[in-house]
Amino acid sequence: MAGLVVSGTQVSYIGQDCREIPEHLGRDCGHFAKRLDLSFNLLRSLEGLSAFESLEELILDNNLLGNDLVLPGLPRLHTLTLNKNQITDLECLLDHLAEVTPALEYLSLLGNVACPNELISLEKDEEDYKRYRCFVLHKLPNLKFLDARKVTKQEREEALVRGAFMKVVKPKASSDSIATSPECQYTPLPSASRELTSHRGAE
């Protein structure tokens, strides 16, 4: 199977342009894999991951995973990286992870809109990022590393006191989402009324 690399309990299936987890991967490797790397694919769904119930590390960087991401229960998973995906709803993701990955200690979300840092937007600064870290630690208090940066005792204490108030506001609809809505794409409105209805997202 081209692209499949197995080394002991480590399984890699990188850069294969797959949109979903191949069935053969779970069938052949699910029962022994402790580390699974599916980075640089086109994944929008994690269906099929339930075959990997012994996973301890899951690498999903550079995919197309969004807010509808659903993980199966992975009781042993301690490391999850979701860098450079399409996640915008931080609270929804964290609530889900708290439920299905109780042993999680290392989480990385860099390169997602949900992670407010300079990688995504020049408008974000260190203060935004601190608020984000505080909120994540409020939701997932057992984390030891977040975005490759160790969680400090001070951060942990602040999350206990202020974390609930550090919710990061979701971004307004982007110009892309407005441009792809059926009304703007298909309705042959006169130019004047089109400007009125979509001036916020017109490109």
Side-chain angles (χ1 to χ4, degrees):
M1 280 173 281
L4 177 61
V5 179
V6 178
S7 174
T9 57
Q10 301 190 26
V11 177
S12 298
Y13 196 72
I14 300 171
Q16 299 303 302
D17 291 342
C18 60
R19 296 172 188 274
E20 53 192 36
I21 298 169
E23 200 178 320
H24 66 77
L25 209 58
R27 188 177 61 238
D28 299 342
C29 308
H31 58 288
F32 67 81
K34 290 188 176 177
R35 183 181 194 275
L36 178 61
D37 189 340
L38 294 170
S39 50
F40 293 95
N41 280 295
L42 301 171
L43 293 175
R44 292 179 183 273
S45 160
L46 295 176
E47 195 175 340
L49 200 59
S50 51
F52 294 85
E53 54 191 35
S54 299
L55 276 188
E56 295 176 6
E57 293 182 64
L58 179 57
I59 316 300
L60 295 167
D61 301 342
N62 292 277
N63 277 286
L64 301 174
L65 296 165
N67 295 332
D68 54 353
L69 174 154
V70 177
L71 286 164
L74 295 170
R76 300 179 191 175
L77 194 77
H78 57 69
T79 298
L80 174 63
T81 71
L82 285 160
N83 301 313
K84 295 191 177 177
N85 276 279
Q86 298 180 351
I87 298 161
T88 61
D89 190 334
L90 181 63
E91 187 170 21
C92 178
L93 174 69
L94 298 178
D95 286 342
H96 182 53
L97 294 181
E99 189 181 326
V100 297
T101 57
L104 197 64
E105 295 182 342
Y106 180 110
L107 175 65
S108 191
L109 298 172
L110 292 168
N112 288 280
V113 173
C115 172
N117 70 344
E118 292 84 352
L119 270 179
I120 280 293
S121 170
L122 294 173
E123 295 169 16
K124 303 299 180 185
D125 58 19
E126 186 63 21
E127 205 53 45
D128 290 309
Y129 186 65
K130 280 181 184 173
R131 288 171 62 89
Y132 150 85
R133 285 180 70 88
C134 192
F135 185 67
V136 173
L137 294 173
H138 161 67
K139 290 284 190 179
L140 301 174
N142 296 328
L143 285 186
K144 293 181 178 175
F145 283 84
L146 176 59
D147 303 332
R149 197 191 289 185
K150 193 171 182 178
V151 173
T152 65
K153 186 182 174 189
Q154 184 182 350
E155 282 182 312
R156 208 175 288 288
E157 289 169 354
E158 186 174 1
L160 278 172
V161 179
R162 302 172 60 209
F165 308 106
M166 293 293 170
K167 184 175 176 181
V168 180
V169 179
K170 271 196 287 183
K172 290 191 178 78
S174 68
S175 56
D176 289 346
S177 63
I178 292 171
T180 54
S181 68
E183 293 83 2
C184 296
Q185 206 167 14
Y186 302 119
T187 311
L189 291 172
S191 58
S193 60
R194 190 161 62 236
E195 281 170 19
L196 286 173
T197 54
S198 62
H199 67 280
R200 282 176 59 192
E203 294 188 25

